[in-house]
Amino acid sequence: SMSSNNYKRNHYVPEWYQKRFIPSDGRESKFFYLDLRPDKIPNTVKTRKSILRWGPKNCFTEEDLYTVKLGRWENVDIEKFFFGRVDRDGEKALKYFTNFQHPSVDHEAFRAFMNYMSVQKLRTPKGLGLLSQLCNSQNRNLDLITMQQIQDLYCAMWTESVWQIADASGSKTKFIISDHPVTVYNRRCTPLSKWCQSYNDPDIRYVGTHTIFPLSLDKIMILTNLS
């Protein structure tokens, strides 16, 4: 049916989040979207352009990424209900932290923000790839079920981290996003080390790991694990 088709094209970086990174200068609502692995053009030796001008609808999306399949039976409940809730609560929480002022306290926003960040780290192709390595599974259905069971996997560690919000409003250079927006950096884990290869990120349990998450063009959240 038409309605279930709406849930089959899955954004692993939600459109509402992407829109927070489009300048509000009234020009067209498109990104410069860099494709690191452009497709080959059929029947030629050429590849497609690597820099594209695309709107949020076309960015960071994959057909049936979250559809559970058994034979010819398909179920889109994960996109509809699970991500529906995560995104609804997450959007409000992101607004709260983007405009955060001391000594404001909002427990609901804090909980929703932690859950959103954790799910965002798990829901990308890279996150799901890591999950299938951890579960030792070749089964996407199993990975999706695991993702829901461990959706708050990272939250305890992040709660105990040092929180910092950096602000670029005084700078001409703004924050950008990638296909894996909850980014992890540890200076002892070099890009070619085993911690960073394939689907891996440096572990947030390692001392000195920074979890870096852009909130908007001007604000970025940095959570540092000082153990």
Side-chain angles (χ1 to χ4, degrees), residues 45-203:
V45 288
K46 295 181 187 156
T47 52
R48 301 191 189 283
K49 281 199 300 213
S50 59
I51 294 191
L52 305 156
R53 286 288 274 149
W54 276 2
K57 188 164 174 277
N58 295 315
C59 296
F60 311 123
T61 177
E62 206 171 288
E63 200 75 19
D64 281 328
L65 185 62
Y66 306 129
T67 305
V68 172
K69 295 181 174 185
L70 290 168
R72 295 179 61 183
W73 179 82
E74 293 188 341
N75 183 304
V76 295
D77 283 358
I78 293 181
E79 175 73 18
K80 193 170 174 181
F81 298 111
F82 178 65
F83 287 122
R85 185 221 16 109
V86 169
D87 284 331
R88 196 172 51 248
D89 297 347
E91 186 171 9
K92 280 190 250 167
L94 244 78
K95 283 182 181 146
Y96 171 76
F97 281 104
T98 305
N99 304 314
F100 181 77
Q101 297 287 325
H102 277 295
S104 168
V105 175
D106 184 331
H107 295 293
E108 285 299 300
F110 170 75
R111 255 205 309 275
F113 183 72
M114 285 285 81
N115 177 246
Y116 179 78
M117 239 176 100
S118 190
V119 171
Q120 177 61 82
K121 189 170 180 337
L122 292 165
R123 83 197 280 185
T124 63
K126 181 175 179 174
L128 290 170
L130 181 62
L131 261 189
S132 68
Q133 275 182 3
L134 293 173
C135 306
N136 199 4
S137 94
Q138 302 299 310
N139 182 329
R140 172 53 58 81
N141 292 350
L142 191 64
D143 299 339
L144 291 170
I145 290 160
T146 307
M147 177 187 63
Q148 293 176 87
Q149 287 171 340
I150 64 167
Q151 59 183 280
D152 290 323
L153 178 66
Y154 304 102
C155 298
M157 205 76 235
W158 283 336
T159 300
E160 308 212 329
S161 295
V162 175
W163 288 45
Q164 178 183 18
I165 298 174
D167 186 337
S169 48
S171 164
K172 282 193 177 130
T173 309
K174 304 300 183 188
F175 298 117
I176 60 171
I177 47 171
S178 73
D179 56 357
H180 192 63
V182 177
T183 309
V184 180
Y185 173 72
N186 187 311
R187 68 181 186 188
R188 299 298 293 275
C189 304
T190 59
L192 295 176
S193 67
K194 64 180 178 182
W195 316 115
C196 299
Q197 288 186 353
S198 176
Y199 296 115
N200 294 314
D201 270 330
D203 198 308

